[in-house]
Amino acid sequence: MNNEFTRVLSLKSEKALNFFLKTNQYKNIELPVYFSFDPILNYVKEKIGDKVYKDCLKEGAQPEQLDRLNYDLLLNKDGHYATRPVMMANPYLYYFLSRELCREENWAALQELFKKLRTPHIKVCSMPVVPKPNEKFYQSTTILNWWQQMEQQSIELSLEYRYMFITDITDCYGSIRLHSFDEAFALWGTKFEKTASPLAATIRELLHVMNHGRNVGIPQGSALFDFLSEIILGYADLMLHEAVEQAGITAKFKVLRYRDDYRIFCNDRQQLEQISFLLQEVLAKLNFNINSKKTKLSESIVTDAIKPDKLDLIYDLPLLRGQKYGDFHSYEKALYFILLFARKHPNSGQARKLLTDLNNSLTEYIKEQKKRNAEYEELTKSDLFDFDTETEDAEAVEATDETKAQTAATDSPKTEIKAQIKKKEEPQVAEAIRIPGGSIRAMVAIATQIALENVSIAQYTLPLMKQLINCLGDKQLEEQCKLYSLVYEKLHTLHNADYLLIWLQNLTYTLDAATGNTTRYESPLCKLVMNEMSDPVWDCSWLLPELSEELPYDKIVNRKVLKAMTKVVHITQPNQYDEADEPVLSEEVIRRLSEEDNATDPIEDWHMHALRACEEIDPIEEILDKCTQEDSCKDCRSALPENIFNMLKKYDK
């Protein structure tokens, strides 16, 4: 097991700033891959540079009073009233805050501060980690870090300790007082107490503006805010350590903390309970409250170390990995299983993983069926079937059993298909794929119900829906369009579901583009996708015009990646924490497509058809390699495999 992670705090100041100014650090929610905020953040960095914040303001401007200062999303958790606010901060305010944190002298001060916040008994597992090169799926490094540092270590500690106290903080980010930054930087009330830091005042000022003038709460939704929360929570760690020392607790103990999630290990139950009450007192001083619903003292560390949804799945898993489409032999029954499992563990990681695994299984099944259909078409065109039926039957009678066995072993697919033809059975046609289970409409209906009851992970039902609907084939385009519309009508009326609608647009985009339906979605990001944005994503009217009037909104959506990816909804999740399925488009391909946006000789639409039709990554990368040459179009055609080339002839008119 590879336990090595590069944490942001170990970076030099310049690299730390570059880390925070990347798309997946700017927002930590998963969006379709055609969204990129790098062009926006790079533009702001170039425009602002080292300019002082107040010098960039219009006279009399009060940005904290603007309703649309940031792009705020409410993530609906249950389809009803449970929500989690996520902010895509105004890129200018985000840059000002990142820049001040990462100034060389300030970054050095932060590194020194965190050294003082380290304690011998408390291990912090949640300091933001730098993604490994070419991450196989979204935030895989962060997930792997949590699994190894929190879950696996908890299990390992069961060898040393008998008891484990589990708790977390209710509304942690929303409860942080901005003045707590002054206390944390000054290490107030600890043996390291010192004078207040000017950096603390700067953080407080910018968060006050970003938070619409409120002095309580910090935003959620980026690695930057996760990092800021670690300052306050690390301060709480130090206070807990000193409180335990002052209480005279002598029992051996260990604390694992991942953000606001605490696990305390000890062999002395009485002293463990004493530590838990000290933790409650320390947190109360910082305006935090323990979540009583998630608090317990466990004597079964091995099982309680992992989440209940994962434990239930391990206990009773009818969908065995490695099989074609599970023990149910029906995709409809498999969907029912996921629906029932998700009702017990709504919006859980394991429900998300079951959806992903089923989608991967469906992908493989469809590939096999397409291959079989292609073999059938090829065989029917060959001389193999130009035979006299009576002669063939006579020869078969004379064949020995051994010959029949050899033929069956070496040519079973051909034999089976030939038998179908002789029986005048109609095999599957290339235009449509039959899926084991009920009707396509019924299976889409179950997937839609899963989405309705699990809004936070609803996007993981969309790849399944898209594949199922596409299996109807071109001869049933009317039914395809009807199903897309029915899914949309069922899901778009959910309250506080803007995040879901961003993904839902990924499902309906091809249909919307073909029909000219540009008004189906109202959120700013969705309007950007359809080139129909009337209002900017962020209100930047508080800035001097020369700094904000040319903000490149048109670069947020990468048109080439959009065209390539809307054929299949692109979501990837790991089969194991340290390995993942390859995405439909590799990170390298997406990078090259992004670079082509600014190329003098951009990739033609013809190439997009190649990207959408070709299932193999290598030929796609060959195309892109050839596009760097002068005579790109001719070379690209010659680089394509013959079957793909023939498939694309219709687009080359």
Side-chain angles (χ1 to χ4, degrees), residues 181-199:
F181 286 100
D182 297 280
E183 298 171 6
F185 274 89
L187 298 168
W188 183 77
T190 74
K191 62 184 178 182
F192 302 111
E193 188 170 336
K194 58 181 181 177
T195 57
S197 167
L199 179 57

Side-chain angles (χ1 to χ4, degrees), residues 221-271:
S222 87
L224 179 67
F225 304 134
D226 293 339
F227 178 77
L228 289 172
S229 73
E230 287 299 326
I231 297 173
I232 307 302
L233 293 169
Y235 176 48
D237 292 341
L238 178 60
M239 293 172 68
L240 175 63
H241 171 71
E242 293 192 355
V244 169
E245 284 189 335
Q246 292 169 10
I249 292 174
T250 57
K252 179 183 175 184
F253 73 97
K254 183 75 174 182
V255 180
L256 298 181
R257 180 178 64 77
Y258 192 94
R259 296 196 187 122
D260 62 334
D261 184 357
Y262 290 86
R263 298 179 180 184
I264 308 175
F265 302 82
C266 190
N267 285 318
D268 189 314
R269 184 183 181 114
Q270 184 176 355
Q271 293 206 348

Side-chain angles (χ1 to χ4, degrees), residues 212-226:
H212 300 288
R214 295 188 294 270
N215 290 315
V216 177
I218 68 171
Q220 300 180 61
S222 87
L224 179 67
F225 304 134
D226 293 339

Side-chain angles (χ1 to χ4, degrees), residues 367-387 411-433 475:
K367 282 183 179 179
E368 288 181 11
Q369 294 307 304
K370 286 182 176 180
K371 182 180 178 182
R372 181 180 178 84
N373 292 340
E375 289 176 350
Y376 166 76
E377 291 177 0
E378 187 66 29
L379 286 168
T380 54
K381 293 175 184 178
S382 71
D383 295 334
L384 178 64
F385 297 105
D386 293 336
F387 56 82
D411 203 21
S412 56
K414 295 180 181 179
T415 304
E416 187 177 343
I417 293 171
K418 188 164 67 174
Q420 285 183 322
I421 295 173
K422 291 179 71 173
K423 292 178 183 177
K424 298 182 179 180
E425 295 178 355
E426 186 176 336
Q428 293 180 6
V429 296
E431 289 80 7
I433 301 291
K475 291 184 178 181

Side-chain angles (χ1 to χ4, degrees), residues 518-536:
T518 60
T519 60
R520 194 195 292 262
Y521 302 95
E522 296 298 323
S523 75
L525 289 185
C526 291
K527 285 192 172 294
L528 278 177
V529 171
M530 303 307 297
N531 278 320
E532 291 289 327
M533 191 188 74
S534 56
D535 298 315

